[in-house]
Amino acid sequence: MNDIVFHALRPQPLARYLTALGAFRALAREGGPDPAARGYWGEDGFHVLTRLGREEIIHFFLERYAPSPIVSPWNGGSGFFRRASGQETETNRAVGAIEAGDEPRLAALREAITRARQVLQDLGLTAKPEKGAKEELFLALRAALPDEAVLWLDAVAVWTDEGLRFNPLLGTGGNDGNLDWAGNYAIQVARLIPPRAGSPRPAAARAWLEDALWGAETPPLDDGAIGQFDPAGVGGLNQGTGFEGRGYVNPWSFVLMMEGTLFFAGATSRRLSPASRPMAAFPFSVDPSLDRGDVAEEEQSNEERAEIWLPVWDRPAGFAETAHFFAQGRARWGRRNALRGVDFVRAVRSLGVDRGARSFHRYVFAVRNGRNYFAVHRDEVAVRRLEPVHLLHALDPWLDRLREVSERRGAPAEWREALRRVEEAVYQYSAGRTGLAAVMAAAGRAERTLARTPQAAREAGILPLAACWRRGAGLHTLQQWIAAVDDGSHEVALALALSSLGARPARTGGVDAGGRPAGAPVREYLEPLDTGAGGVSWAPSSRRAVWGPGPLPANLVRVLDRRWLDAMTETPDTPAAAWIYGAGRGAALETVAAFLDEAVDEDLVTDLLHGFAALPWETVERAGRTRQGGDAPTDPARGRREGAAWPAAAPLFRHYAVFRSLLSERGLPAEEGDEVQPRVDRSLLALVAAGRLREAYLAAFHALQAAGVSTTLTPTGAAGAPNLSPAQAQRLAAALLVPLRPGAERTLARYVLRSREEGDVDRETGTVEAS
């Protein structure tokens, strides 16, 4: 067996991919020169394992190849109709010459032309038919044309209850605007194979063939159009040495490209179930996603018709196997066929596609040059399992509804943009380029967009993201999500901790099943929601939602203040800390220090917080599996993260340690040895947020004294507390909302407690006076 490499045939552009399929089809189909040939894709082009040598392949195409019968008599440029003026076109001449000729290699194409012309005559059509007549003509042609010619009809369109639905690969019925591919096919066939037997073929035919298959030195090419399949070859502005270049086409490339499109027929009409969308009837074709992938802004189109995902395989496969592979066109995401590009990429990464493919090349049919479309290569995605991709199923109900509503006429543009960002994040994550946290950030941003108009969202039937989580994800899935999104960054750690506030579910009177005070889920403070036993719904009149425009620190202060107020109202006889926090996950001190030092991306934290807050943390907390262990004291010169400084190095951290110690859920050791929780008034938050540290320190000192805690704070030290800028003060107050790991609270206590054995702890590693 010879391994013949067609070096010119690669997955990009689409024209070359189709040419590879067409060349393989001509060589390996039944009646071809080598039905036992097998094809596959290599890094250097398309390979064919065959008993034929290169010269034998060239001889076959030049002397024996019989073009497939491809006709489109429903189109005005098909060669079956003359212009209104009666003028004969080049397409008319080519179709007429083939029909009147006697070349044996063109017998099948000649018969298809003759039968098609008879059907037109029987229907009384002398001009391009309108829509209704086109459908009648299409059905008549299916009954009259030879089986081999019907293959082209199946590649062009599928019949549904709503009429004809066209394959996006072949435009709107085998044409791209005024360009009819069957008509141009007739022109190129007649150029390569003279319709009159015995007529000499063009002198350049061999050179064209070698150029088409192996990329030999380019022979002179004639003017021609290739349409959407090769955007670089259509001509137009800046496409040549002059101001406007012309399009050129290699006749062999065009003819074999058309042969390649026949792989997209076969079983297409049987793949359309009553529940399917018409686009899904065609192999590897889906509706376009709203995302733009990695395409530059100047390359983006305002309109996209469809996407097609073309498989590349590296295991040799015969013609029948390859034809079956395309006829099935299998791509499933979960229990449904892939309907959009964002589904297809997830199908690829969850192995919901046939295993023979090595990768898929994603093409988008985008509007260019008026109403013409170009097949733009967007991406290549390897067929390789991404284990956590199945977690995205939990988002589908919410995402599907948002998509359905956003695509309606008159839907808010900001909803559509929010959807686009989520789909782009899902795509990029599924392709292996970002982490799962990016998906949650995009979902959180979309949720925040919806929350700005909760009444409109409710009327549109878009449930809050939290409602979809409750319906679609069990405990195991939630635990997997939490593990998968934690990428070790401060932003994710901070958002996870904040989003789990109120994880202990309240039963009655602000008390959980164990009798502990329990605050409301933090999501109620971020968005106007009603979180009750009946589920989560929009609550436009909510007074608890305090999140608004502005920076992250300002909003965190609002949430803390409101939770503190609710604690005083709901559980006035118990310390406020249990209501304020009650978290299922705590942050490390290094994360808080990074926030205080302005070393986190606060916009990202905001997005992540709104996304993570939708998780039913009360379910996870009830299982008791997410609370971390304590932070054991570490070397003061090093934090837990490589290269991180000990938190005391952060300018605001020492002040934070003092005030946050007062809000410890577990209390502080009193002089008698029992743990007590100092009674701290809500006014302390106002003092800190206003930057009035002297008064705040004095209030802290009195609270500790009243609780019987031996502290290093003194009234004298409080008098020396520094002034803070408004931004610093607000950030310091905001940090108090962050729930901490149990060990972190014990570490912070060292900043305010007097050591019984050693006296005051060194300021750099432990207790700090107010100075």
Side-chain angles (χ1 to χ4, degrees):
M1 297 287 282
N2 299 312
D3 190 348
I4 304 298
V5 184
F6 296 143
H7 295 288
L9 304 182
R10 299 173 182 271
Q12 301 181 54
L14 178 56
R16 294 191 181 185
Y17 180 94
L18 294 173
T19 301
L21 295 184
F24 178 60
R25 183 176 188 277
L27 292 169
R29 67 180 172 178
E30 185 178 353
D34 186 8
R38 293 174 294 157
Y40 68 97
W41 293 92
E43 295 298 329
D44 52 352
F46 189 77
H47 291 236
V48 177
L49 295 177
T50 175
R51 61 177 178 78
L52 305 175
R54 174 167 171 159
E55 284 301 319
E56 291 174 293
I57 291 174
I58 293 174
H59 179 267
F60 162 72
F61 280 113
L62 294 179
E63 304 294 342
R64 296 174 50 201
Y65 163 69
S68 295
I70 295 176
V71 293
S72 302
W74 53 83
N75 288 330
S78 62
F80 287 86
F81 308 108
R82 295 198 177 190
R83 292 176 177 172
S85 63
Q87 181 181 0
E88 189 177 53
T89 65
E90 183 182 9
T91 309
N92 295 138
R93 291 190 291 271
V95 170
I98 294 172
E99 185 178 17
D102 58 357
E103 168 57 50
R105 295 162 63 187
L106 301 181
L109 181 55
R110 184 163 51 248
E111 181 182 5
I113 293 172
T114 301
R115 291 198 186 187
R117 204 177 293 280
Q118 183 63 49
V119 171
L120 292 174
Q121 182 178 339
D122 293 344
L123 296 177
L125 293 174
T126 58
K128 173 186 173 182
E130 298 302 324
K131 182 178 179 181
K134 178 187 289 189
E135 294 180 347
E136 181 183 4
L137 172 60
F138 202 89
L139 292 176
L141 289 168
R142 288 189 60 87
L145 293 180
D147 289 346
E148 194 177 1
V150 172
L151 197 63
W152 166 252
L153 303 186
D154 285 342
V156 168
V158 63
W159 188 267
T160 71
D161 292 339
E162 299 176 357
L164 287 178
R165 289 295 179 267
F166 298 113
N167 187 345
L169 176 68
L170 295 168
T172 53
N175 65 290
D176 181 21
N178 294 326
L179 171 61
D180 180 83
W181 285 308
N184 276 270
Y185 175 75
I187 293 173
Q188 304 307 332
V189 166
R191 184 174 295 170
L192 293 172
I193 306 174
R196 289 291 178 183
S199 299
R201 65 171 179 265
R206 179 185 175 109
W208 285 335
L209 180 64
E210 291 183 326
D211 174 62
L213 300 181
W214 288 285
E217 183 175 351
T218 305
L221 301 177
D222 292 333
D223 293 357
I226 198 168
Q228 66 183 20
F229 300 112
D230 185 3
V234 298
L237 297 177
N238 300 318
Q239 294 292 320
T241 56
F243 179 73
E244 182 171 1
R246 294 183 297 175
Y248 296 92
V249 66
N250 182 321
W252 276 114
S253 294
F254 192 96
V255 168
L256 294 179
M257 177 189 74
M258 294 296 292
E259 292 274 7
T261 65
L262 299 180
F263 271 103
F264 292 83
T268 54
S269 59
R270 295 193 295 274
R271 293 179 65 245
L272 190 63
S273 68
S276 298
R277 297 172 65 121
M279 197 70 69
F282 298 102
F284 307 119
S285 295
V286 292
D287 288 337
S289 296
L290 292 174
D291 75 277
R292 295 297 183 263
D294 298 323
V295 178
E297 182 71 25
E298 62 271 14
E299 297 176 1
Q300 295 179 11
S301 167
N302 293 325
E303 182 178 342
E304 295 175 352
R305 179 168 61 201
E307 295 183 12
I308 188 167
W309 290 68
L310 299 179
V312 169
W313 61 95
D314 51 16
R315 181 180 60 83
F319 170 74
E321 183 181 359
T322 304
H324 179 75
F325 179 74
F326 276 90
Q328 293 299 309
R330 188 177 78 91
R332 292 188 63 81
W333 165 238
R335 298 181 179 180
R336 72 186 187 191
N337 287 334
L339 301 178
R340 299 171 181 81
V342 72
D343 291 337
F344 206 106
V345 68
R346 292 184 289 179
V348 170
R349 301 295 272 178
S350 62
L351 301 187
V353 294
D354 286 313
R355 303 297 176 86
R358 179 188 73 205
S359 66
F360 280 84
H361 285 256
R362 177 192 180 202
Y363 282 89
V364 175
F365 296 102
V367 173
R368 301 290 192 279
N369 295 348
R371 295 303 302 171
N372 292 330
Y373 284 82
F374 285 174
V376 181
H377 186 272
R378 282 279 175 85
D379 203 0
E380 179 183 9
V381 179
V383 179
R384 185 171 60 250
R385 180 180 290 279
L386 178 67
E387 289 296 335
V389 76
H390 73 277
L391 298 175
L392 296 175
H393 283 296
L395 289 178
D396 277 345
W398 174 78
L399 193 57
D400 289 345
R401 183 59 182 171
L402 177 59
R403 183 186 299 110
E404 178 186 346
V405 171
S406 298
E407 291 177 349
R408 294 175 182 170
R409 184 181 299 275
E414 60 178 6
W415 288 8
R416 184 175 178 84
E417 175 62 17
L419 171 64
R420 186 192 71 79
R421 289 180 178 272
V422 177
E423 288 199 336
E424 181 176 358
V426 168
Y427 183 96
Q428 295 300 330
Y429 165 69
S430 302
R433 301 188 183 103
T434 61
L436 191 57
V439 175
M440 288 303 283
R445 190 180 307 123
E447 180 83 346
R448 200 163 72 254
T449 298
L450 294 170
R452 286 199 287 266
T453 53
Q455 184 64 32
R458 185 167 67 177
E459 292 174 355
I462 305 176
L463 292 174
L465 184 56
C468 297
W469 270 110
R470 282 193 171 188
R471 293 182 177 184
L475 174 63
H476 181 63
T477 300
L478 292 170
Q479 291 170 329
Q480 288 181 306
W481 263 91
I482 294 169
V485 298
D486 194 351
D487 57 9
S489 68
H490 287 307
E491 287 81 3
V492 168
L494 191 60
L496 280 173
L498 288 167
S499 66
S500 71
L501 288 167
R504 294 202 299 265
R507 294 292 186 264
T508 57
V511 178
D512 71 4
R516 300 172 300 176
V522 74
R523 69 177 76 95
E524 294 186 16
Y525 297 81
L526 308 181
E527 301 162 10
L529 299 176
D530 180 15
T531 304
V536 182
S537 59
W538 295 111
S541 60
S542 170
R543 295 183 179 180
R544 183 168 275 172
V546 294
W547 197 279
L552 175 65
N555 277 298
L556 294 182
V557 171
R558 293 191 195 108
V559 172
L560 175 56
D561 183 60
R562 179 68 199 200
R563 288 184 74 83
W564 207 325
L565 176 62
D566 288 347
M568 295 167 57
T569 304
E570 299 288 340
T571 55
D573 297 329
T574 60
W579 178 285
I580 293 173
Y581 302 113
R585 190 179 182 95
L589 294 180
E590 291 86 354
T591 294
V592 178
F595 172 73
L596 289 168
D597 206 30
E598 301 182 52
V600 299
D601 183 339
E602 295 181 6
D603 290 337
L604 176 58
V605 173
T606 298
D607 293 338
L608 289 170
L609 172 56
H610 282 77
F612 293 156
L615 299 174
W617 283 100
E618 55 271 27
T619 301
V620 182
E621 167 66 13
R622 193 179 297 117
R625 298 180 183 177
T626 62
R627 191 176 294 277
Q628 306 95 325
D631 284 350
T634 61
D635 181 355
R638 297 183 59 192
R640 287 174 175 264
R641 300 173 189 274
E642 184 177 354
W646 179 245
L652 296 177
F653 190 83
R654 298 182 184 183
H655 308 303
Y656 162 79
V658 171
F659 299 122
R660 183 62 176 81
S661 296
L662 299 176
L663 296 173
S664 172
E665 285 192 78
R666 287 160 182 76
L668 298 173
E671 293 182 355
E672 292 78 8
D674 298 327
E675 287 192 342
V676 297
Q677 287 186 315
R679 287 283 183 171
V680 183
D681 189 82
R682 175 168 160 248
S683 61
L684 177 69
L685 175 62
L687 293 174
V688 174
R692 296 160 61 182
L693 289 195
R694 295 171 187 171
E695 297 171 65
Y697 265 109
L698 193 58
F701 167 74
H702 289 307
L704 290 170
Q705 264 202 333
V709 176
S710 179
T711 175
T712 58
L713 300 182
T714 65
T716 303
N723 293 322
L724 299 178
S725 69
Q728 287 178 313
Q730 195 169 70
R731 184 173 298 276
L732 177 59
L736 300 179
L737 179 64
V738 181
L740 298 174
R741 297 177 177 179
E745 288 193 344
R746 290 194 295 270
T747 300
L748 284 183
R750 300 167 60 202
Y751 281 75
V752 296
L753 297 178
R754 185 179 300 278
S755 172
R756 296 175 180 174
E757 293 82 13
E758 302 176 5
D760 293 352
V761 179
D762 184 82
R763 293 184 179 185
E764 294 301 320
T765 60
T767 307
V768 158
E769 283 195 3
S771 60

